[in-house]
Amino acid sequence: MLKPYYEQLKTVNALPPRCAYAPESGSISLNGEWGIRAYAGIRAVPDDFYTVAPADTIPVPSCAQYYGYDNFQYTNVNYPFPFDPPYVPWENPAFHYRRTVNVEKAGGKKYYLAFDGVDSCFYLYVNGQFVGFSQISHRTSEFDVTDYIRGGENAVDALVLKWCAGSYLEDQDKWRFTGIFRDVSLLARPNGHIADYKIETESDGTARFQYISGGLPATLTLNGEAKTVKAGETAAFKIENPKLWTVETPYLYDLKIECAGEVVNEKVGVRAVSVENGVFKVNGKHIKLKGVNRHDFHPEKGAAVGIEDMRRDLTLMKAHNINAVRTSHYPSAPAFYRLCDELGLYVMSEADVECHGVATQNGGGDWESVPSLFDDGQYAEAVAERNRANVAAQKNRPCVIIWSLGNESGYGDAFIRAAREVKRLDNTRPVHYEGAFSPEHNQAGRDTSVFDMVSRMYPAPEWVAEEYLKIETETRPLVLCEYCHAMGNGPGDLKQYWDILTSSDRFMGGFVWEWKDHGVLYGGGGCKYGGDFGEAPHDGNFCIDGLVGPNWEIKPGLLNVKKVYGGEKIEDGKIAAPSVRLTAGDVRIEPAQGGGFIKIRCGESSYAVDGFTGSLTSAAVGGRERLVSPLTVNITRAPTDNDRNIRREWLALGVYDAKPVVRSVKAAKNGVALTGKMLPVSRSSRLDFTLAYAFFADSVEINFSYTVPDLAKSPPRAGLAFAVDKNITEIEYYGKGPGETYVDTADLSAFGRFETTAEKNFTNYIRPQECGSHCGARYVRLSRGREPDRKTPAALDGGLVISAPAPFSFSVLPYGEKALRETAHNWELPPSDAVHISLDAAMRGIGSNSCGPVLNPKYEIPRKGEITFSLAFAQGAMV
């Protein structure tokens, strides 16, 4: 029977971690087609499994779930197996991988097998002999296989398990993939080769090379100067007038390392990182981290991202003024760091540590009320081991400016010890761990002096602005390792944070959560999220929380990041919005019988108002009905992902069930005035309103006023909603644009004249939700779609012009609020049957409360409001 290393946090026969590099020659890629056989659990695997070649194949790197094995599962906090560390279930999917490789074995050579990433652990055999065992999914596991390799064909067998004792430390917010998901290589190296080294630089041009381990002396050539160094020694160089490495100017010097006839080509970035007098600096200058959190993810490959995927991530970040990445919540592949060196991005490199599910083991979320995983000494050592691996691999990368011990794992002596280990290995970079400062993780107030910065995730902007700098005992800089949760329509509070973060050099900046939506493309349909594969537990669409879509689709949130991170100054266009010309006519009103429909005629046009609801049910102008659905009072919006918490209150308070009920009807000039309430079942009024209609030959003027009752919570919006013919798709408007804007993002868009269509105005979020609103509007013109051979809109046949003397919000979409609210995925939306229009006196902001702070009250709708809309249904209605 296989030895139960997977339950013991053991690493067997793997070499000590070293810096990431590949010699100039002697490296054989083992990427490509491997054999694979799946077993339902570890007990089903025979002891001699490696004697039978698997019949099926799978590409490596890859995640097994994309090839029909096991199942997809997304969970954020809860462990996907019973909590009983260090044990994992017997029903632990296992996968036998096999690859053969031909080797011309030569004397004087050492042979190594290197696996850059295997989730979660693996037993390694070469030619039927046990070589070793490794865990820690996101690190390079390297084995000396010199005594196992033979000349000619060699069989490499790896038994990969889905879970192991280390999985308790890998409870990151992600899909739980399995397999050999990063590169595999066989290295043939000369005896006496260099193994590990460390490069340190200072901004005055000093560069030190520490030969940590290896055999023979090495010759180093840097900037035209050559030196020889022995193992255990350090060589120093001085570059005069150095070109410093920064994200703006990522200059890299070539370093040639020659040892035992082997060449290693290294890149050196001259830069220094420091914290001085509470200020974080690079090369002696204060910088702001304009960052994002990034997972390894591709919709069709999962965690098995390639170098071009990484490059696409980073170039798109740079194009949108992002200058920093946190590798959440594990080290990225070695190639990622070299790309950051080359392209110029700062990196907070995070160890492969998260055990968030510890806090929920008894159903709650309180770290102090449950036994700590680190009361077990082997887990405390595992945290240190994972941090040593992170530092060892990335220590020579100039892009890495901060070490992070992990994420959401409580706080105690294990992390103090790990921080000291990191500083012993590298004292040139500051050390970060948010759990030390979280009020939830460090309720006991344990000492945090080992850390070089204070870190918080999702604090309210007001705490940053009004409280942090007033803490008399705190002199360290502050970084927001996560903020502005970018789930769905949002984040709405980015500018509020950055107005504060730029106010003091004590503020380092922050990392938006997160870069990319984790939408899986598998099994037909469109992008899927948690629960779509029938798995349990799962966390729904909480993985759809990025600034870009799964295939790098640019979302409005990213465009706002570009503006804020770039310090863009927004200037309104100096234009005057037109208004509606109201054509007078002889108005005749037929009073409702028994409170029913009120009919109005003005010239050749006729209108109807429902005396029970106050809705405009008909507008027949120019011989045709212009409304597809009635114009009615509206207080709802399809919940955004950032409404996910307050949505529960709206449901409980009946916001989505509330119907307009008229309590009084009065005659008014050219029309009628109705006073009513938005009443749900079992609840009192959510909004009191008055609608005063004035009718004209081809238009209607609607005065809408409202009051939120004293005991009621403000609804998401106060306005009107209706629908028109589905072909009325062309939009011209004067307002904030061109992207969607809300009250808390309005400062990021300029007032001007814009053109779009209902389809383009719809933001295709994976989970449909409120979108496409434009605040600060004064005028909207809708017309039929353009004809292919015309450069201008067709005549305003069935179109509409809307204006108001005061700013308003509007949206024109191919879907109504109910369809958006009740559809789980964008690819499941029904065909559009109308163009749906919302006109709002007020709508609440977006915020980032999907995981961040509650919306600032100033962005809720006012308790009272009034606006007059003019709607014209004829061509030439513009003044």
Side-chain angles (χ1 to χ4, degrees), residues 803-855:
S803 71
F808 62 95
S809 295
F810 81 95
S811 65
V812 179
L813 301 170
Y815 306 102
E817 184 272 335
K818 190 172 186 291
L820 295 175
R821 172 161 46 97
E822 295 181 352
T823 305
H825 303 85
N826 53 3
W827 45 275
E828 295 174 322
L829 282 165
S832 175
D833 59 355
V835 167
H836 297 263
I837 302 168
S838 294
L839 305 176
D840 297 309
M843 179 157 53
R844 81 189 302 262
I846 295 300
S848 62
N849 189 228
S850 50
C851 194
V854 297
L855 187 70

Side-chain angles (χ1 to χ4, degrees), residues 234-255:
T234 299
F237 295 83
K238 186 62 179 292
I239 301 172
E240 299 298 332
N241 302 312
K243 297 178 180 179
L244 300 182
W245 186 94
T246 70
V247 293
E248 295 82 15
T249 57
Y251 189 84
L252 296 169
Y253 289 89
D254 292 320
L255 169 63

Side-chain angles (χ1 to χ4, degrees), residues 261-310:
E262 180 185 73
V263 175
V264 175
N265 293 307
E266 186 60 273
K267 297 288 186 180
V268 177
V270 178
R271 64 102 185 91
V273 182
S274 61
V275 176
E276 302 173 22
N277 299 317
V279 178
F280 179 75
K281 297 181 178 181
V282 173
N283 298 328
K285 298 178 180 179
H286 169 60
I287 64 160
K288 294 292 185 191
L289 298 175
K290 301 170 182 178
V292 293
N293 285 270
R294 177 190 173 274
H295 271 288
D296 285 339
F297 183 77
H298 186 283
E300 297 176 290
K301 297 185 287 187
V305 296
I307 191 167
E308 290 309 314
D309 303 321
M310 301 176 206

Side-chain angles (χ1 to χ4, degrees), residues 498-512:
W498 275 84
D499 285 346
I500 298 162
L501 293 174
T502 55
S503 68
S504 170
D505 287 353
R506 289 272 307 282
F507 298 139
M508 295 171 60
F511 298 83
V512 170

Side-chain angles (χ1 to χ4, degrees), residues 588-625:
R588 289 167 289 164
I589 299 176
E590 296 179 18
Q593 299 298 316
F597 289 99
I598 305 166
K599 297 181 180 180
I600 302 97
R601 293 197 65 84
C602 186
E604 297 299 318
S605 301
S606 64
Y607 307 90
V609 174
D610 188 332
F612 291 117
T613 66
S615 302
L616 180 66
T617 60
S618 175
V621 178
R624 61 185 300 175
E625 177 59 57

